[in-house]
Structures are given as C-alpha cells and as structure tokens.
Amino acid sequence: MMITHDTRCALDAVVALLNSAPEGESPGAPDSLTGPGALADFVRRHNISDVGVLGENDLAAVRSVRARFAQVFAADDDRTAATLLNQLVASAGTTPQLTDHDSYDWHVHYFAPGASVADHLAADGGMAVAFLLVAGERERLRRCEAPDCRHAFVDLSRNRSRRYCDSRTCGNRLHVAAYRARRREAAG
C-alpha cells in the first residue's frame, strides 16, 4: 500500500494522539496531555506547522478530537467509520491547499490557514484515516492485542499481520509468557 509522507505523518500524529489518552482498562492511568505545555511538546514532536500559542481551550479541543478519533478506531463497520470521519473533517472546516514548507516537497494540507491545532489534527488526520477507508484498508487501524496495553497503531505490514503496537515490548512479553506457560505445563 502506497502512503505519501504527509499522510503517514498525519496517521502517526493520530496514533500518538490516541495513545496520549489514559488507558480505559487501567483506572488512574495518566493522560499525557496534562496541559498546554504538554500539548506544545506534542505539536513539536509531530512537526505540526502553523500553530500559535496554545492554551487550555486548545487542550480541551484536542482532547475532544482525540475522543472522536477513538470512536473511528472503535467503529464496527466502514459506514459508521465514514460517518464519524465526515463529521470530524466537516467540523474542522477543511480548506485543502497545496504547500511546500520546511524542506518538504508539495503536499496537501486540509486545514485552513491559521486553524487551531484541534482543527489541524481533525482535518489532516481525518483525511489520512479517510484515505485508508477509501482504499479498503480500515482494518489496518488497530489496537494492540496485548491484554494490558490496547495502544492504537496503524498496521502497515505487507500482509496486515501485525498484532502488537510494538513487537519488542508487548509482542515479546506475551511470547515469553506463553513460552514459560508451556515449560511449566511440560514440567508439570
């Protein structure tokens, strides 16, 4: 599957945004978007351009966008996901524009110039997820299968076989646990 650089960056930002939420199955787990400073760090890490000074209102709006993306990832079918994506992208007031900034070649931004960071994430991230849905690849939007994780990720493996957000941590931990269980059973 061919994914352009800007679409990949937008997908990465959506996944990171989803994974900034407290884990639903871990009561008391912290929200990593703790304030405007943490949001500014998120913006810097994901090279989100054209964002001014961030405040509490921006933080609340981004958290709302995050909750809406979580609904898209949890959607039972393509039609539901499409409806949610249409609402998300429309709420951002998309204004597609060609741009070439920060040494990147021509690409499309879907947010209006001067848009809030929440609208930026909703528009660019929503369109990136929409491209997966249009390509018949929505099943690539996944949650980690490790029972104690549930982080979001986009499975970009050739055969769509990725099961864990990180094979070195979640995948390896489960494989080691299964190995130990088999050894105990064989010794038992």
Side-chain angles (χ1 to χ4, degrees):
M1 171 175 199
M2 173 91 164
I3 295 179
T4 62
H5 173 76
D6 53 316
T7 300
R8 177 63 190 265
C9 289
L11 288 171
D12 289 346
V14 167
V15 165
L17 182 62
L18 285 169
N19 291 337
S20 72
E23 292 295 319
E25 288 132 32
S26 304
D31 186 329
S32 67
L33 291 180
T34 56
L39 180 57
D41 289 342
F42 179 89
V43 165
R44 272 190 298 283
R45 273 193 318 275
H46 295 285
N47 298 317
I48 299 173
S49 60
D50 197 24
V51 175
V53 177
L54 299 169
E56 290 294 332
N57 289 341
D58 295 301
L59 181 62
V62 167
R63 285 178 174 165
S64 175
V65 166
R66 178 178 67 189
R68 294 175 80 182
F69 274 118
Q71 291 175 329
V72 171
F73 265 64
D76 290 331
D77 55 60
D78 287 352
R79 185 160 308 283
T80 302
T83 298
L84 293 167
L85 282 169
N86 284 336
Q87 292 168 353
L88 180 64
V89 171
S91 72
T94 57
T95 307
Q97 293 190 10
L98 284 169
T99 184
D100 66 339
H101 61 87
D102 299 328
S103 74
Y104 293 112
D105 204 359
W106 289 106
H107 59 282
V108 179
H109 282 183
Y110 294 94
F111 57 93
S116 71
V117 66
D119 285 346
H120 180 124
L121 289 165
D124 273 3
M127 289 305 298
V129 173
F131 289 140
L132 287 178
L133 191 143
V134 167
E137 301 285 352
R138 191 177 68 88
E139 74 274 2
R140 291 182 182 273
L141 305 175
R142 298 204 174 146
R143 292 285 184 170
C144 184
E145 289 184 18
D148 59 340
C149 181
R150 305 300 300 149
H151 275 127
F153 67 95
V154 178
D155 179 4
L156 296 177
S157 66
R158 185 173 293 191
N159 62 358
R160 298 177 194 93
S161 62
R162 192 169 153 201
R163 297 174 45 207
Y164 307 108
C165 64
D166 186 348
S167 61
R168 291 174 301 201
T169 54
C170 291
N172 191 43
R173 189 174 63 247
L174 288 175
H175 289 113
V176 168
Y179 171 76
R180 289 180 180 157
R182 285 191 306 272
R183 298 257 326 199
R184 277 192 304 272
E185 188 176 302

